[in-house]
Amino acid sequence: CEDMSCKTGFPEDVHSAVVSRSVHGGQPLLNVRFRSCDGNKKIHFGSSEPEDFRVGEDGVVYAERSFQLSAEPTEFVVSAQDKETQEEWQMRVKLTPEPAFAGASEKDQKKIEDIVFPWQQYKHSSPLKRQKRDWVIPPINLPENSRGPFPQELVRIRSDRDKSLSLRYSVTGPGADQPPTGIFIINPISGQLSVTKPLDREQIASFHLRAHAVDVNGNQVENPIDIVINVIDMNDNRPEFLHQVWNGTVPEGSKPGTYVMTVTAIDADDPNAQNGMLRYRILSQAPSSPSPNMFTINNETGDIITVAAGLDREKVQQYTLIIQATDMEGNPTYGLSNTATAVITVTDVNDNPPEFTAMTFYGEVPENRVDVIVANLTVTDKDQPHTPAWNAMYRMTGGDPTGRFTILTDPNSNDGLVTVVKPIDFETNRMFVLTVAAENQVPLAKGIQHPPQSTATVSITVIDVNESPYFVPNPKLVRQEEGLLAGSMLTTFTAQDPDRYMQQTSLRYSKLSDPANWLKIDPVNGQITTTAVLDRESIYVQNNMYNATFLASDNGIPPMSGTGTLQIYLLDINDNAPQVNPKEATTCETLQPNAINITAVDPDIDPNAGPFAFELPDTPASIKRNWTIVRISGDHAQLSLRIRFLEAGIYDVPIVITDSGNPHASSTSVLKVKVCQCDINGDCTDVDRIVGAGLGTGAIIAILLCIIILLILVLMFVVWMKRRDKERQAKQLLIDPEDDVRDNILKYDEEGGGEEDQDYDLSQLQQPDTVEPDAIKPVGIRRLDERPIHAEPQYPVRSAAPHPGDIGDFINEGLKAADNDPTAPPYDSLLVFDYEGSGSTAGSLSSLNSSSSGGEQDYDYLNDWGPRFKKLADMYGGGDD
């Protein structure tokens, strides 16, 4: 039974020890206990504070250096490690310094009882003599919580010199003249020492006073002596637990004797007396299954251990214990008690493996799909959820040799998610039967009879879908010489349909990308023919390669299509003649300096390009007479003057350039040379240098044409503006003949009440010399079409009685004056009114007559004045009627 309950490790989590306040280096302090169920284990001890404490191989704790312990407990951790398995155990050590008064009370009492005064040497040579005691003080022990009456006499202090001298007694120190003051007082005459109130050992356990004796003059008679007053402890404090609720854990299935936790209570009374000696016991356990006594407690240390087997987290997850601590060594009659709660949680161990809820799972997946969950594998596990003992791990044990599936674990539901990770081809595999196993993240606990894993079968059906056709090969490379004529068959580019089990017609082909529009494809057989001449020098050809993309489509549901790229590698032929570069150049009139560097440019590549041959044509003869050309490299030549002087101007020099192709290709390029006057540096000095510097004849002509067109547009705009102004003025002068009332008699249907009620200016109907000035015309009666107030042109003034023959001259002169007046509308026209009242202010027509009577005058000349005077001619020249 002892072997079954043995547990390797420290017997307690916290070890408390009381040591002296002064610690010396190398001093042994305590011995830690370690229980090893296997005596062959090699245990190595260590300390968390190696600079202060060292643990020997025998478990003895030594001080590494000398130091003073503080009033607060000193804590450090002692660890034990198995050198073979690296398993480690820890225990916390608490060192409490001894109280200042502990162990000194008896010694001090002996000092008080047996006071030895120092030896004094007299002046004579007699041998040393020991003086007798001057003070006689009995030991003082005072119980706490005394009820009085106060002041309570304790002891009488005296000196044997009080027989010869009048002495005064006093005490000093904490409790007398130092805080807390006034607890102890002394009668200065009799030396009676008294206490004034009850004492509390838990606050001050002892008082150290000093007694003094002086004469009436204040001279010291005796040396001061120390007095120690010990406060005797009474059982006046209940035990107090450090925590009201203690939490601990124990694994399920633990054997009896397994350590669970330690509860600790303290008592303020003297721990070396029965008043401070505590004992622990368990009052109750809830729940009481499977046994009411599953745990026990060490009555002295407070260690809680298991005493019965059967801890099962799946049945009982937590126990609650009521712990009682009693002082007076647990005496139920005289001891004081207190209680606390210990909550023990049963932790989970992996004592239940996962189990599949079904023997076979089913799923399906469309072909060529990846990252698709095809089946959910469900398991049950009685262990605590979301712990390593509950979390399931799935693995495939068969049916997937190519690794097309994987099983992931859902962290929330613990289900296994069968997922496709590689595409599946229906034409190759129509069904998979997988064997899967499930197990926990941690192995099963020892002694569990269940198998460590559960197995199941997963049947997965592959669904056939319409797949895209694919070209073979893709891309397809074709080598072809450029210059292939339109309508020529180039190649055949066909695709294949991977769906062998679907009923569908043949594929159809179409063109998807053809940058130069050179090709076409037969929609049925995929034959590719040219629609234009293939040109290697085209901008759509990169590095001699031309790319075109074609599309193959089926008629499945849904329709699918695939693309293929045709790469045409164009071989060069000598289809381009070389050209001269640059097209224009400048040289001087004289021989020196006059060399022009030219370059031959050929779009073809080797061997259909350079080296080039340069020569001048035989015709016209002036070319070779004036110029000479010399090749300086395969692509470059120099053109220079052959004669000493050539007149300044622009010359077209033809140059014949021949490449190295087979057959050769040549062309005659015209180089436009500007010959000009030059300075000593060879730079043109005349104005025409601008042309040679970059502006050709065509550019200058274009600039001049633009300037001429711009000037014409400006001129046309000015003419149009003037013409529009004239038309506007003419519209103001012209009046329709039907609307002109100067030669018409108006007939009105209604006669009004006269012109007095009309705001009309009738002065225009009067003779010019009778019109009143504008300056005196009242405001508000001026018409909008009335002449404004400004300097007027000189109009002819008609005499008061003109000759009838003067009327025509007068009218012509007035018309001419009005035409020459551009600032005003035709104010000489008659004004048209809608209504004429009675009492017109205008003069009668008789004011127009001459000195002779109307009957004596001849008005036939009015017929010669035109239609405007037809009415007037009818009135005056019509005869007697």
Side-chain angles (χ1 to χ4, degrees):
C1 296
E2 182 178 358
D3 293 338
M4 293 178 62
S5 62
C6 179
K7 180 180 179 181
T8 300
F10 294 101
E12 53 190 0
D13 291 337
V14 180
H15 181 80
S16 301
V18 179
V19 297
S20 60
R21 188 177 300 272
S22 298
V23 179
H24 305 284
Q27 175 184 347
L29 302 178
L30 66 141
N31 188 5
V32 296
R33 293 178 297 167
F34 184 85
R35 181 185 300 169
S36 176
C37 298
D38 185 3
N40 296 328
K41 288 188 176 181
K42 297 181 180 179
I43 304 300
H44 172 72
F45 295 94
S47 169
S48 63
E49 304 291 338
E51 67 277 1
D52 295 333
F53 306 99
R54 174 178 57 87
V55 185
E57 295 296 329
D58 54 353
V60 178
V61 180
Y62 298 89
E64 279 292 286
R65 61 182 180 87
S66 300
F67 58 90
Q68 292 286 333
L69 290 177
S70 62
E72 298 295 330
T74 300
E75 295 186 5
F76 62 95
V77 176
V78 174
S79 61
Q81 187 178 29
D82 190 344
K83 294 183 179 180
E84 296 180 359
T85 64
Q86 302 299 319
E87 189 175 5
E88 187 176 2
W89 301 267
Q90 292 184 348
M91 179 181 69
R92 185 161 52 91
V93 177
K94 181 188 296 184
L95 299 181
T96 304
E98 291 179 349
F101 58 86
S105 175
E106 183 179 356
K107 183 178 179 180
D108 292 340
Q109 289 179 5
K110 291 180 180 179
K111 286 183 180 181
I112 295 174
E113 294 175 357
D114 188 10
I115 300 177
V116 180
F117 286 89
W119 294 87
Q120 296 183 7
Q121 185 170 1
Y122 296 92
K123 294 181 180 180
H124 51 80
S125 59
S126 61
L128 293 175
K129 295 183 179 179
R130 181 180 179 184
Q131 288 183 320
K132 66 176 181 180
R133 262 179 235 175
D134 295 329
W135 297 64
V136 180
I137 301 176
I140 302 174
N141 289 316
L142 183 63
E144 65 174 334
N145 302 324
S146 176
R147 297 185 178 181
F150 298 102
Q152 179 181 351
E153 296 180 354
L154 301 179
V155 70
R156 181 172 177 268
I157 300 173
R158 68 180 182 82
S159 173
D160 52 6
R161 290 190 181 186
D162 59 356
K163 299 177 181 179
S164 60
L165 297 174
S166 176
L167 302 180
R168 298 293 183 268
Y169 301 97
S170 62
V171 291
T172 59
D177 62 342
Q178 298 178 16
T181 60
I183 296 179
F184 299 97
I185 59 175
I186 189 171
N187 189 315
I189 304 299
S190 63
Q192 185 68 43
L193 181 65
S194 304
V195 61
T196 61
K197 58 183 179 180
L199 302 180
D200 188 356
R201 191 203 68 85
E202 286 71 41
Q203 294 184 0
I204 303 177
S206 65
F207 293 90
H208 296 261
L209 304 179
R210 176 165 289 190
H212 305 269
V214 297
D215 58 15
V216 294
N217 295 323
N219 299 319
Q220 180 176 320
V221 177
E222 300 283 1
N223 291 328
I225 189 170
D226 293 333
I227 302 174
V228 176
I229 301 174
N230 294 321
V231 182
I232 306 303
D233 183 43
M234 304 297 288
N235 190 18
D236 58 345
N237 291 281
R238 291 181 178 274
E240 295 290 341
F241 283 91
L242 297 181
H243 306 286
Q244 193 58 35
V245 178
W246 296 78
N247 294 292
T249 59
V250 61
E252 64 175 329
S254 297
K255 298 178 180 180
T258 302
Y259 171 80
V260 180
M261 62 188 300
T262 299
V263 296
T264 304
I266 59 174
D267 196 318
D269 294 326
D270 189 357
N272 298 318
Q274 289 187 343
N275 297 335
M277 295 182 179
L278 306 182
R279 297 295 181 266
Y280 301 93
R281 71 190 185 100
I282 298 176
L283 296 182
S284 64
Q285 169 191 310
S288 59
S289 62
S291 171
N293 298 312
M294 297 293 296
F295 305 92
T296 187
I297 188 171
N298 188 309
N299 64 347
E300 293 185 3
T301 62
D303 294 343
I304 300 176
I305 60 176
T306 61
V307 294
L311 291 174
D312 190 353
R313 190 203 65 84
E314 286 74 36
K315 296 180 179 179
V316 180
Q317 298 183 2
Q318 185 173 278
Y319 290 91
T320 302
L321 307 180
I322 303 301
I323 309 298
Q324 184 186 59
T326 306
D327 59 12
M328 298 295 291
E329 296 184 306
N331 190 316
T333 303
Y334 303 104
L336 301 177
S337 302
N338 212 338
T339 60
T341 302
V343 179
I344 301 175
T345 302
V346 181
T347 58
D348 186 38
V349 297
N350 192 14
D351 55 348
N352 294 282
E355 297 180 2
F356 283 103
T357 58
M359 295 300 297
T360 304
F361 297 89
Y362 299 93
E364 59 183 20
V365 58
E367 64 174 331
N368 300 323
R369 296 284 299 276
V370 294
D371 297 330
V372 178
I373 298 175
V374 297
N376 277 27
L377 311 181
T378 56
V379 295
T380 58
D381 196 320
K382 298 179 181 179
D383 292 322
Q384 184 176 358
H386 307 292
T387 62
W390 178 81
N391 295 335
M393 297 188 304
Y394 300 88
R395 58 187 178 89
M396 279 177 288
T397 59
D400 185 24
T402 57
R404 298 184 181 275
F405 300 92
T406 187
I407 304 178
L408 305 177
T409 303
D410 189 323
N412 297 321
S413 64
N414 213 27
D415 293 345
L417 308 178
V418 182
T419 307
V420 181
V421 294
K422 293 182 180 179
I424 303 174
D425 188 6
F426 174 82
E427 286 71 24
T428 304
N429 300 98
R430 299 188 180 185
M431 177 174 289
F432 291 87
V433 178
L434 309 178
T435 303
V436 297
E439 57 187 0
N440 292 125
Q441 290 181 350
V442 295
L444 287 176
K446 296 180 179 180
I448 303 301
Q449 302 300 325
H450 299 286
Q453 64 182 16
S454 177
T455 59
T457 301
V458 183
S459 179
I460 300 175
T461 302
V462 182
I463 302 174
D464 190 17
V465 297
N466 187 24
E467 299 178 77
S468 300
Y470 59 93
F471 285 85
V472 179
N474 189 15
K476 183 176 183 179
L477 179 63
V478 176
R479 300 175 65 89
Q480 176 64 46
E481 281 189 354
E482 64 172 329
L484 184 64
L485 299 179
S488 302
M489 200 279 287
L490 182 62
T491 184
T492 300
F493 197 20
T494 58
Q496 298 179 6
D497 194 338
D499 298 311
R500 299 195 302 268
Y501 301 99
M502 285 190 174
Q503 298 295 331
Q504 52 190 18
T505 60
S506 59
L507 302 177
R508 304 287 295 181
Y509 300 96
S510 60
K511 185 172 64 173
L512 186 63
S513 174
D514 183 12
N517 198 22
W518 286 346
L519 308 172
K520 69 176 180 178
I521 186 170
D522 188 280
V524 177
N525 57 24
Q527 189 178 63
I528 298 176
T529 56
T530 60
T531 59
V533 178
L534 303 185
D535 186 8
R536 191 199 65 84
E537 290 74 33
S538 172
I539 61 174
Y540 302 104
V541 177
Q542 301 294 330
N543 298 324
N544 302 330
M545 191 75 71
Y546 180 76
N547 295 324
T549 306
F550 297 92
L551 187 70
S553 304
D554 61 18
N555 62 341
I557 300 175
M560 301 298 291
S561 61
T563 60
T565 301
L566 178 64
Q567 294 181 335
I568 305 174
Y569 187 86
L570 294 176
L571 303 176
D572 185 40
I573 63 174
N574 196 12
D575 58 343
N576 292 280
Q579 300 292 327
V580 68
N581 185 50
K583 298 293 185 179
E584 297 179 357
T586 303
T587 187
C588 299
E589 295 176 324
T590 59
L591 281 175
Q592 297 295 335
N594 66 346
I596 301 174
N597 293 325
I598 60 175
T599 303
V601 178
D602 194 334
D604 295 326
I605 59 176
D606 290 337
N608 298 320
F612 300 96
F614 300 87
E615 60 180 346
L616 297 177
D618 296 331
T619 58
S622 60
I623 299 300
K624 284 191 174 182
R625 183 176 62 252
N626 297 337
W627 304 92
T628 181
I629 190 168
V630 178
R631 191 179 76 170
I632 59 177
S633 66
D635 298 337
H636 304 282
Q638 277 190 348
L639 179 68
S640 59
L641 286 175
R642 180 183 294 272
I643 59 178
R644 294 179 177 273
F645 176 82
L646 184 63
E647 185 178 356
I650 298 176
Y651 297 86
D652 291 337
V653 181
I655 301 175
V656 179
I657 305 176
T658 305
D659 60 21
S660 299
N662 186 17
H664 300 298
S666 63
S667 67
T668 301
S669 299
V670 176
L671 177 64
K672 189 176 293 294
V673 180
K674 168 64 178 177
V675 179
C676 61
Q677 298 178 359
C678 298
D679 54 15
I680 58 176
N681 297 322
D683 298 328
C684 287
T685 57
D686 53 359
V687 179
D688 293 339
R689 174 188 170 192
I690 299 177
V691 178
L695 292 178
T697 305
I700 296 177
I701 294 175
I703 293 174
L704 293 177
L705 289 176
C706 292
I707 295 174
I708 293 173
I709 293 173
L710 182 62
L711 293 176
I712 292 174
L713 291 176
V714 173
L715 182 60
M716 291 175 64
F717 178 76
V718 173
V719 172
W720 176 76
M721 290 294 295
K722 289 184 173 296
R723 190 170 190 179
R724 192 179 65 169
D725 292 341
K726 289 183 178 181
E727 289 179 354
R728 185 184 296 112
Q729 296 175 6
K731 286 181 180 180
Q732 295 176 354
L733 294 174
L734 293 178
I735 299 178
D736 190 89
E738 293 297 327
D739 296 334
D740 192 355
V741 298
R742 289 177 296 182
D743 56 347
N744 290 280
I745 297 178
L746 299 180
K747 180 180 180 182
Y748 294 93
D749 295 335
E750 182 180 359
E751 295 289 337
E755 295 180 348
E756 299 88 341
D757 56 345
Q758 305 294 327
D759 291 334
Y760 300 140
D761 185 12
L762 301 181
S763 61
Q764 297 298 324
L765 300 178
Q766 299 175 359
Q767 296 182 3
D769 55 347
T770 61
V771 178
E772 60 184 335
D774 292 330
I776 62 175
K777 185 178 295 185
V779 180
I781 64 173
R782 184 182 301 275
R783 291 173 53 88
L784 296 178
D785 58 347
E786 189 177 358
R787 183 190 303 272
I789 301 173
H790 56 76
E792 297 179 338
Q794 296 298 325
Y795 285 87
V797 180
R798 181 186 173 193
S799 60
H803 189 273
D806 299 333
I807 295 177
D809 296 334
F810 168 76
I811 293 176
N812 290 329
E813 293 175 359
L815 182 59
K816 184 182 298 184
D819 291 338
N820 294 329
D821 184 11
T823 61
Y827 292 105
D828 59 327
S829 61
L830 296 179
L831 299 179
V832 180
F833 296 89
D834 292 336
Y835 172 76
E836 286 186 344
S838 60
S840 176
T841 58
S844 63
L845 294 178
S846 60
S847 60
L848 299 177
N849 60 4
S850 58
S851 57
S852 60
S853 64
E856 299 177 353
Q857 295 186 14
D858 184 9
Y859 295 100
D860 292 337
Y861 59 89
L862 295 177
N863 294 323
D864 300 331
W865 288 2
R868 290 180 178 272
F869 296 92
K870 184 176 183 299
K871 292 292 183 181
L872 191 59
D874 292 341
M875 293 175 60
Y876 287 90
D880 295 339
D881 54 356

